[in-house]
Amino acid sequence: MLNEDVEKVLITEAEIRYKVTEIGQALSADYADKDPVLVSVLRGGVIFLADLIRTMSIQVTIDFMAISSYGPATESSGVVKVLKDLEEDIIGRHVIVVEDIIDTGLTLGYLLRNLGSRNPASLNVCVLLDKSARRILDNLPIKYKGFDVPDAFVVGYGLDYRQKYRNLPYVGILKKSIYEEAEKSSGGID
Ligand code: PRP
């Protein structure tokens, strides 16, 4: 069972629901009549996006990007490859990047440069979890934020370990034994 692999629940389902609703209401107030484009980054961000838009009372457009980093060797450069681009033309549109978690900040840094170069009317960031202890890129303009999380192996509500645990309805810390065992048998964490 999924739950058995979790050491500790960090943020409960009810806490997430409450916070997501709060953010959705703030967005509805700030973007009334602006038909914003909410951009989610595959794959983890879709759970937050799906819940968020259903708390919003205004018209929205959703779109998706898929990007992959070139791996640990290039981590600090934040170099990424676009695997799937937006379908919407965002020139002159109000864009909100919706992310599940900001860790080093490199993904978001790349996204802001990439989306910003397309001349949107505005560009803001909405993130559920902020793991600031691991930040490499500072001063990111995060306008809407859910929770701070410690520098631990968090899974659930979109966050995975080897593509698993995304469907947990809460955010929890994965038991060490799970990734240590996997590491032993494969010789690396990823
Ligand atoms: C996660 C998350 C962000 C990124 C944040 O995605 O959804 O996009 O990592 O990390 P950073 O701040 O260090 O750049 P991940 O690459 O794990 O892909 P996933 O959404 O498919 O899980």
Side-chain angles (χ1 to χ4, degrees):
M1 294 289 283
L2 276 180
N3 287 325
E4 291 164 7
D5 295 351
V6 174
E7 179 74 51
K8 182 185 168 195
V9 175
L10 268 186
I11 309 166
T12 66
E13 191 175 353
E15 286 169 332
I16 293 172
R17 195 180 311 120
Y18 187 85
K19 185 66 80 177
V20 170
T21 305
E22 222 174 51
I23 297 173
Q25 285 170 350
L27 289 171
S28 296
D30 294 353
Y31 287 88
D33 304 318
K34 289 189 168 156
D35 185 15
V37 184
L38 276 65
V39 174
S40 172
V41 187
L42 300 171
R43 305 176 207 177
V46 298
I47 284 119
F48 177 36
L49 178 81
D51 282 350
L52 181 67
I53 57 174
R54 284 176 291 175
T55 69
M56 294 176 68
S57 54
I58 60 167
Q59 300 284 6
V60 300
T61 300
I62 60 171
D63 206 344
F64 301 90
M65 279 184 85
I67 58 181
S68 82
S69 81
Y70 281 92
T74 53
E75 191 183 303
S76 57
S77 70
V79 175
V80 293
K81 182 163 65 170
V82 175
L83 301 174
K84 184 214 170 294
D85 204 352
L86 296 179
E87 292 180 29
E88 294 294 314
D89 184 356
I90 58 165
I91 187 166
R93 301 287 303 272
H94 294 277
V95 176
I96 309 166
V97 177
V98 178
E99 268 281 37
D100 50 352
I101 189 165
I102 311 286
D103 197 329
T104 63
L106 294 171
T107 305
L108 183 60
Y110 171 79
L111 282 170
L112 291 174
R113 288 195 304 278
N114 181 306
L115 298 174
S117 72
R118 306 184 199 193
N119 295 320
S122 67
L123 180 57
N124 276 311
V125 178
C126 173
V127 60
L128 187 68
L129 307 173
D130 184 1
K131 198 191 262 186
S132 56
R134 300 224 331 138
R135 196 74 93 250
I136 291 174
L137 205 58
D138 275 323
N139 302 318
L140 289 165
I142 302 172
K143 187 160 182 196
Y144 306 90
K145 183 169 107 173
F147 304 92
D148 289 301
V149 288
D151 189 10
F153 208 125
V154 286
V155 293
Y157 203 74
L159 303 174
D160 72 308
Y161 171 60
R162 297 189 166 196
Q163 302 306 330
K164 304 285 190 275
Y165 306 100
R166 294 193 197 274
N167 55 320
L168 283 170
Y170 56 82
V171 173
I173 298 180
L174 191 65
K175 279 185 181 162
K176 254 198 183 127
S177 57
I178 304 295
Y179 53 86
E180 278 177 355
E181 264 167 46
E183 225 181 321
K184 255 184 257 160
S185 54
S186 73
I189 198 158
D190 266 320

